[in-house]
Amino acid sequence: MAMIFIGGSRDIVELPDAIVGRIASIVAAEHGILVGDAPGADTEVQALLGGHGYEHVGVFCAGDEPRNNLGDWAVYNVPPLPDIHGFEAGAQKDREMVRRADYGLMIWNGMSPGTVLNVLRLAMAEKPCVTYDVANGLVTTTRDVVDWQTMLSRADPEIWDVLATRMTPDERLATTLG
């Protein structure tokens, strides 16, 4: 059973038909699904999986309890290191999901740094990721950092400034942001 990390932007409140179809294929193949607990894409994915009555789901959270676990699935708590809060606490959880995943499926609004950093983390680990850019109606498959950079070349250039502040030194090095 392959493990699929499914995630996306918090402002995604409706899954595109292409994502619904892709998730239906994942369910039909009985792959494991790793999903976060955030509002937005994570919760929409959980609602869809719950509607299928799907059981092969793990919900990851950084807090003591998940904010959302619509299917009462297994919970994987990834507590932040001391003095880590906000974005970085969630990023630690996301890195654990990347570590456990074989593939990624991301629903991106075209500007969310967290989602696109998860695509980068998967690319750095040489784990393929299909990304649906909802804002631009594009579907991209990334297999490595070069693919990720190509995907980002179509995004608003301002995203690079935000990404540079949120990347780890290893992530910066991999993208040559220095």
Side-chain angles (χ1 to χ4, degrees):
M1 167 189 312
M3 299 303 289
I4 317 290
F5 173 6
I6 303 178
S9 306
R10 289 182 184 206
D11 69 348
I12 302 291
V13 295
E14 184 175 336
L15 298 176
D17 290 341
I19 288 289
V20 172
R22 182 68 64 126
I23 291 173
S25 296
I26 291 168
V27 167
E30 297 186 5
H31 293 303
I33 296 175
L34 313 174
V35 66
D37 67 332
D42 290 353
T43 304
E44 292 301 311
V45 168
Q46 286 188 26
L48 179 62
L49 294 169
H52 283 286
Y54 199 60
E55 297 178 4
H56 305 298
V57 179
V59 176
F60 285 71
C61 66
D64 292 333
E65 296 288 327
R67 294 168 286 185
N68 296 289
N69 184 354
L70 304 181
D72 197 28
W73 296 292
V75 173
Y76 298 89
N77 181 284
V78 183
L81 297 171
D83 299 324
I84 299 293
H85 305 284
F87 175 80
E88 186 54 37
Q92 283 181 230
K93 168 195 59 79
D94 291 345
R95 286 185 193 99
E96 179 61 17
M97 293 170 74
V98 167
R99 188 187 72 74
R100 293 181 185 217
D102 299 303
Y103 303 95
L105 176 61
M106 296 291 146
I107 308 118
W108 188 39
N109 64 0
M111 58 192 178
S112 165
T115 302
V116 82
L117 281 173
N118 285 331
V119 178
L120 172 62
R121 293 172 186 128
L122 287 157
M124 288 173 63
E126 298 180 350
K127 297 177 179 184
C129 181
V130 173
T131 302
Y132 287 80
D133 179 345
V134 175
N136 298 305
L138 298 172
V139 179
T140 306
T141 300
T142 54
R143 291 178 177 80
D144 56 30
V145 175
V146 172
D147 288 346
W148 179 82
Q149 289 172 321
T150 300
M151 181 185 87
L152 237 56
S153 70
R154 295 183 288 272
D156 185 328
E158 291 181 19
I159 195 168
W160 287 99
D161 295 334
V162 176
L163 292 176
T165 65
R166 294 189 176 192
M167 288 179 166
T168 65
D170 288 344
E171 292 164 352
R172 269 190 224 95
L173 183 62
T175 63
T176 66
L177 284 177

